[in-house]
Amino acid sequence: MATYDQGDGHRGWSAEVATVTVSMDGIVTGWSEGARRLLGHRAPDVVGRAAADLLLGREAPQAAGFALTGSQEWSGTAALQHRDGHRVEVTLHAHPSLGGDGTPQGFVVAVTVPSADSRPDRAMVEWAFAQSSIALAAYSTASRSWHLNAAAERGEPISDAGPEQPGSALAEEGFLRCVGRVADEATPMRYERSAPQPSSAPVPARQPAWIIELWPVRDPASGEVVGVGTAAFDSSDQHSARQRLALLQEAGTSIGTTLNVTRTAKELAALAVPRLADFASVDLLDSVLRGEEPVPGPVDATVVLRRVAHRSATRGDVVPDAAVDLGEIDDYPPFSPPARCLTSGRPLLSGADDPDFVRWTAGRESRTAAVETYGIHSAIATPLRARGSTLGVAVFVRTEGSPPFEQDDLMLAEELAGRAAVGVDNARRYTRERTNALTLQRSLLPRDLPKQAAVEVAYRYLPAGRGAGVGGDWFDVVPLSGTRVALVVGDVVGHGIHASATMGRLRTAVRTLADVDLPPDELLTHLDDLVIHLSTDREDISPGESYVASGEIGATCLYAVYDPVSRICTFASAGHVPPAVLLPDGTVSVVRLTPGPLLGVGGLPFEATELELPEGSLLAFCTDGLIEARDRDVGLGLERLCEALAAPVPSLEVTCDTILKALLPESPADDVALLLARTRALHADQVAAWSLPSDPAIVADARAQTSRQLAAWGLEDAAFVTELVVSELVTNAIRYGAVPIGLRLIRDRTLICEVSDASNTAPHLRRARTYDEGGRGLHMVAQLTQGWGTRQTSVGKTIWAEQTLPAG
């Protein structure tokens, strides 16, 4: 049995004994601390007394030749009396103490407590301790020394070739604290330790680990804790299982953190290297990257895959000498491990001893060079399969200096690949849904804004970043009669295909209502009714789908109409952020509107706000995704919008880019719509207007004035058709309308004729019978002009007709 001294590192043999010194005449002259613990007597109570007084009943020791005379050693047994009176069976070993002249001066008596067994049994116990295959050790609190059996001394779980070695449990502060607690608290404990891994190891090898049981060792006589016993048991299998479980648990939180296919593949490679492999690669089918449905079931024959992620233990994500570069396509022949695992649908363990592995690596020069350079000797290929579909393959490789893969590694790789496959498939499905939603959204947004003369426009639309679904932001520019224009921007609450579909409905409704030429506040009222109807219409919702319920659709909208003749812009808002305006003198501000409720609330009015704008004023309409963010509110966002709008730029297109750069992060969290409109004005030489009395005789005068004005504009070629239109519209106003009656001609990109009166009755086309005297006037107007229509005004109505200008 080996003994290690805890205090000074001295190594030697020792035993716990009680020591007493006795003079030649039998008087106790010295009393050790061990004697006090054994018999309970303190040194002052015993020293100076006869040693025979300690014998129970003053019996003589039962040992042949026992005598406190002479100079020979002797030993024997005796029954001593404990201080509290109980009997203590001991073994006495007396050694003469000689003086300088060699004569005996007294005796040193070693007192030990023999076991209840016989001496051969005690030796057997000691041999069993020493020869046990279990690493056993005992710590003495008195001598602060360690006693190790042969298994422990070999350095497996406890000493690691001696307590002086850095890897020894006896040098671990945590283990020593545990020993101290067991000794102090007299409570058994458990300590777990594993062999330290060399920092130079590329891949952690199977790590030896042990569980060390510690218990207090008590003195049978006194009941005091005199030491700590330990027994170490190999727990390498359990330790490896816990490490695999920890890696899988980490995979659940670190793989699939985003809905991005490539990012998920990189997360798998980053987790596997270097904890499982020296190199890992992830190759996917092109259809998966496009968000399309993958090939169902296993893949056979030659497989074409694209490298989306790889990682090396020595070079990280940048692997310039990889056999396949990132983004590159590679063909995997049927005999290659990746193709074989895809065919079987099961992970495959192969290596340098596999002929197919050797054949595969020899088929490409770059792959052969990698095998020779890094000493690749073991590989695992596992398919990425989710929901019954094959997405790609993950390959894990170990190089020179790392142990070959085992079956446990194969199962771990399969589990990691399975979790990654679910993340990749989720990202693929999201990519598909997002692509569909973007396609739907872009099909519903204007591609090219219509030509009109009232404003110069520029716009930007940015979908939300990949973390968010497609939103329902939209904008539009709608030409109106009388060279006016409607500017619209809106936002449907929520994200996804349903938000895009609702946006398309609202945009179509706005264009329809704008064609009716309703005032902005009335148009929003009708739009509000439509949203309420959409909220209660569930015919397009499949059973069990919890997307829309009553009152769950919400949207904001800002509708503005600008008239270049009067230079007045009329705004109405349904809970939307107000626009900003930059005047020609450099003044920039937010337009003060009376905000109405969100669309879909119902029962509340919308109010219109009129603003006269100088020619060249710049209006900026946007959705909340541009100005609102986590780190700023709408007010601060509008201030920053005004600052960006005021910056001098050469064009509206550059202004759009400047605003987006100033207000948006690289990946916006919400959809963004921005519409800029610089106002134009029609000057007096482009507009002619007359007030007419309600007299049929005035029709001829109206035709004459029209002819003179067209001549002044150089449009004599349009006189004939224009006079017919004026004659018909003025006649109808006099016959069916009410005063005041007005006639207006507008020359811009087209020639517009307008007749207004105080009646709200709108005319309509009808088919005249053969012998009818009337009913053909509006039909003739519709045939001769490019278009005609009617719009309600605050004092009645206006009938208009538009015709193209003559060539030249």
Side-chain angles (χ1 to χ4, degrees), residues 513-807:
L513 294 173
D515 287 341
V516 181
D517 232 329
L518 294 176
D521 51 343
E522 291 187 25
L523 183 143
L524 290 184
T525 300
H526 287 281
L527 197 61
D528 183 48
D529 292 337
L530 172 64
V531 173
I532 293 175
H533 290 310
L534 291 178
S535 298
T536 57
D537 183 8
R538 301 182 59 87
E539 294 180 356
D540 59 338
I541 306 300
S542 59
E545 185 176 359
S546 58
Y547 166 65
V548 179
S550 178
E552 288 189 2
I553 292 181
T556 65
C557 183
L558 177 61
Y559 185 82
V561 175
Y562 174 68
D563 187 347
V565 177
S566 63
R567 301 193 309 279
I568 291 177
C569 189
T570 305
F571 304 86
S573 173
H576 201 82
V577 293
V581 58
L582 172 64
L583 300 180
D585 60 3
T587 303
V588 61
S589 62
V590 177
V591 179
R592 295 186 177 181
L593 303 179
T594 302
L598 269 68
L599 297 175
V601 174
L604 297 176
F606 299 95
E607 297 185 21
T609 300
E610 291 187 350
L611 181 64
E612 185 174 354
L613 298 173
E615 183 179 5
S617 299
L618 179 60
L619 289 166
F621 302 85
C622 66
T623 55
D624 58 358
L626 177 66
I627 60 174
E628 190 175 14
R630 292 181 179 179
D631 58 344
R632 66 172 184 265
D633 57 15
V634 174
L636 180 58
L638 287 173
E639 291 180 7
R640 294 182 60 181
L641 173 62
C642 291
E643 294 173 0
L645 193 64
V649 289
S651 66
L652 291 187
E653 295 294 332
V654 177
T655 302
C656 285
D657 296 335
T658 301
I659 292 174
L660 296 181
K661 184 177 180 181
L663 273 72
L664 289 182
E666 182 177 352
S667 179
D670 195 5
D671 285 20
V672 173
L674 173 64
L675 176 64
L676 300 183
R678 177 172 280 127
T679 63
R680 294 169 175 162
L682 294 181
H683 302 287
D685 60 348
Q686 295 178 272
V687 181
W690 302 273
S691 294
L692 304 176
S694 182
D695 184 357
I698 203 63
V699 175
D701 186 54
R703 289 199 300 267
Q705 293 185 29
T706 298
S707 179
R708 288 192 294 270
Q709 184 61 52
L710 293 179
W713 284 341
L715 300 177
E716 292 87 348
D717 292 345
F720 177 75
V721 173
T722 306
E723 288 181 21
L724 288 176
V725 172
V726 168
S727 177
E728 176 61 30
L729 296 184
V730 171
T731 300
N732 285 345
I734 294 173
R735 180 177 298 178
Y736 303 110
V739 293
I741 299 173
L743 170 64
R744 186 169 73 167
L745 297 179
I746 301 174
R747 177 182 61 84
D748 190 54
R749 298 182 179 182
T750 59
L751 178 61
I752 300 173
C753 175
E754 295 182 344
V755 175
S756 59
D757 66 82
S759 172
N760 290 320
T761 303
H764 59 277
L765 286 174
R766 65 182 180 88
R767 182 178 298 277
R769 290 184 289 273
T770 304
Y771 299 104
D772 287 348
E773 295 182 359
R776 297 178 179 85
L778 286 180
H779 183 74
M780 179 181 62
V781 170
Q783 295 298 317
L784 294 176
T785 61
Q786 181 179 345
W788 77 278
T790 179
R791 68 174 180 268
Q792 298 295 322
T793 65
S794 58
V795 295
K797 68 177 181 296
T798 296
I799 310 299
W800 58 271
E802 183 176 358
Q803 52 185 312
T804 58
L805 296 177

Side-chain angles (χ1 to χ4, degrees), residues 8-26:
D8 56 7
H10 174 72
R11 180 169 179 171
W13 295 94
S14 69
E16 174 67 19
V17 296
T19 306
V20 180
T21 58
V22 183
S23 65
M24 294 299 295
D25 54 1

Side-chain angles (χ1 to χ4, degrees), residues 480-528:
L480 302 177
S481 63
T483 68
R484 297 170 307 132
V485 65
L487 305 170
V488 193
V489 63
D491 184 5
V492 175
V493 176
H495 295 84
I497 291 182
H498 290 293
S500 297
T502 302
M503 175 270 289
R505 285 177 163 183
L506 295 184
R507 178 172 176 263
T508 302
V510 169
R511 292 191 69 91
T512 302
L513 294 173
D515 287 341
V516 181
D517 232 329
L518 294 176
D521 51 343
E522 291 187 25
L523 183 143
L524 290 184
T525 300
H526 287 281
L527 197 61
D528 183 48

